[in-house]
Amino acid sequence: MTATPNMDFVNDIIANGGESVNMCYQCGTCTASCPSGRQTSFRTRRLVRMAQLGMKDETINSDELWFCTTCYSCTERCPRDVAIVDIIVAMRNLAVASGKMFEGHKKTAQSLIKNGHTVPINDEVKAQRKALGLAEVPPTVLANKDAKKDFDKIMKATGFKKIIGE
Amino acid sequence: MAKAKYAFFLGCIAPLRYPGIEKSTRDVCSALGIDLVDFNDASCCPAPGVIRSFDRKTWIAAAARNLALAEKAGVDILTICNGCYGSLFDAAHELHEDAELLKEVNTILAEIGLEYKGGTTVRHFAEVIYNDVGLDKVKKAIKNPLDLKVATFYGCHFLKPSDIKKLDDPENPSMLDKMVEATGATSMYRKDKMMCCGAGGGLRSEFSDYAMKFTEENLKNMKDGGAEVIVDICPFCHLQFDRGQKELKGYSMPVLHLSQLYALAMGMDKKELGLDAHLTPVKL
């Protein structure tokens, strides 16, 4: 694979929580510890190396960037204390900021904006809640319009709708 | 200083997909003297794997709103989900460590007349029982000892990152096993016990076939280890195993949240556990 080193990308990763990216010395403990690497083409060490080399296009456009479940096995075992999950999250943020977002993820983000929760309420669960003697609608922003308005203001202030391409 | 009263942080999956977890938690906390108050202005934590992956600033601002509301109410937060625990605990930690970030987040919170001063402690139901209530008190409350072979499922964000959570050994923990065995049940050894369920990080919502590979490997190890029931402390792991088994063939292992296991062992009515919301039948 050929690539043009993009040092702005490395600096963006550092500025977005991936301060430890240059500490990695490529030992591969992360890849060996990764449950996703056992099931998929995801290779943690490779992704961190690509981050160090500023391979923006190759990382933010890859499906593999999203194969990490954020289980922290790699971070726990890293002998250099590299916050690998934070680096992956930083690259994901930069991918989304570049307009790269999967439909399933967009749906979750849209639900957060609409409901204040990542999944919507439905009639089935309302009935189940009622049968258990719980409030039909949970006591959260779902049942509290003023609190939902405040939540909406936070979303507006961070520009989340725009970030996810809405 | 820990406060004796907690804002009960429901999150999303428990109240909206497995309300029996919410109900059991309320009942078990009441029986063990843990004082819960409704947190009726709370939103999603927001989810650490997905929302944080999309935009860190939105994630921490919305988390800070939840933290600030609890602080204003003068209570700490009690969660029943590793995702909520992970998000709120990690966000509180970051805001505590980074004065610049706290300042930036507070300019956003100012839009709704809130300020977070850094005074909220985030707790998980399981560790409150283990650390504060104690297993002696749990054992005294058991009215219906359970003769079950259990696969304990810690999940990821309960113990990790362990440098800030400081609850137990992240590679070889024992607290959940001890909590389960306090009911009379036996925690069964298995291969690769700390492997992720596969649901997190947006894997389930976009690449569910891959998430299911994690789930199947876990189920195989649980079955091989002789377990007959899964006990989790996270509604998202719970959902992944409960719904996952319906999609896979050859597995039918009931899935219980620790709160439901405790409710059962403390002699509460089985109908109160909300088991009809489970897709994998719970016949105990």
Side-chain angles (χ1 to χ4, degrees), chain B residues 24 144-151 180 183 185-186 226-232 238 242 245 252-266 268-271 273-276 278 280-284:
Chain B
S24 300
N144 172 31
L146 302 172
D147 181 21
L148 289 173
K149 290 175 178 164
V150 173
V180 162
T183 66
T186 308
E228 56 194 9
V229 53
I230 302 168
V231 174
D232 63 79
H238 186 98
D242 178 54
Q245 287 184 84
S252 185
M253 215 182 283
V255 185
L256 292 175
H257 187 272
L258 180 68
S259 58
Q260 292 171 306
L261 183 85
Y262 272 13
L264 193 67
M266 290 177 184
M268 290 156 198
D269 193 332
K270 224 182 240 183
K271 281 183 195 153
L273 306 182
L275 299 174
D276 50 349
H278 292 221
T280 301
V282 185
K283 293 175 201 148
L284 296 172

Side-chain angles (χ1 to χ4, degrees), chain B residues 32-73:
Chain B
L32 294 175
I34 301 168
D35 198 359
L36 300 181
V37 290
D38 279 345
F39 195 169
N40 64 11
D41 34 19
S43 67
C44 171
C45 50
V50 277
I51 306 303
R52 186 178 54 165
S53 286
F54 306 154
D55 184 46
R56 225 185 155 88
K57 191 174 163 189
T58 300
W59 168 76
I60 204 153
R65 177 181 164 275
N66 288 322
L67 294 168
L69 288 166
E71 185 176 61
K72 201 175 159 191

Side-chain angles (χ1 to χ4, degrees), chain B residues 201-264:
Chain B
L203 203 62
R204 181 181 169 83
S205 53
E206 183 62 39
F207 300 101
S208 111
D209 288 354
Y210 290 150
M212 289 303 294
K213 288 187 181 188
F214 287 62
T215 312
E216 187 165 17
E217 192 172 325
N218 272 301
L219 287 164
K220 183 182 184 305
N221 291 338
M222 289 167 175
K223 202 173 171 182
D224 289 350
E228 56 194 9
V229 53
I230 302 168
V231 174
D232 63 79
I233 50 172
C234 172
F236 203 31
C237 306
H238 186 98
L239 179 144
Q240 183 66 14
F241 282 116
D242 178 54
R243 297 195 170 182
Q245 287 184 84
K246 207 185 170 215
E247 294 160 35
L248 292 165
K249 285 192 178 86
Y251 296 99
S252 185
M253 215 182 283
V255 185
L256 292 175
H257 187 272
L258 180 68
S259 58
Q260 292 171 306
L261 183 85
Y262 272 13
L264 193 67

Side-chain angles (χ1 to χ4, degrees), chain B residues 44-114:
Chain B
C44 171
C45 50
V50 277
I51 306 303
R52 186 178 54 165
S53 286
F54 306 154
D55 184 46
R56 225 185 155 88
K57 191 174 163 189
T58 300
W59 168 76
I60 204 153
R65 177 181 164 275
N66 288 322
L67 294 168
L69 288 166
E71 185 176 61
K72 201 175 159 191
V75 286
D76 284 333
I77 290 176
L78 185 129
T79 61
I80 45 176
C81 167
N82 289 0
C84 305
Y85 183 59
S87 258
L88 295 171
F89 188 102
D90 293 3
H93 178 78
E94 281 185 36
L95 294 168
H96 193 263
E97 297 295 305
D98 187 342
E100 276 302 305
L101 180 66
L102 179 64
K103 210 172 141 189
E104 191 190 332
V105 163
N106 272 327
T107 58
I108 298 173
L109 293 183
E111 304 239 347
I112 54 170
L114 265 184

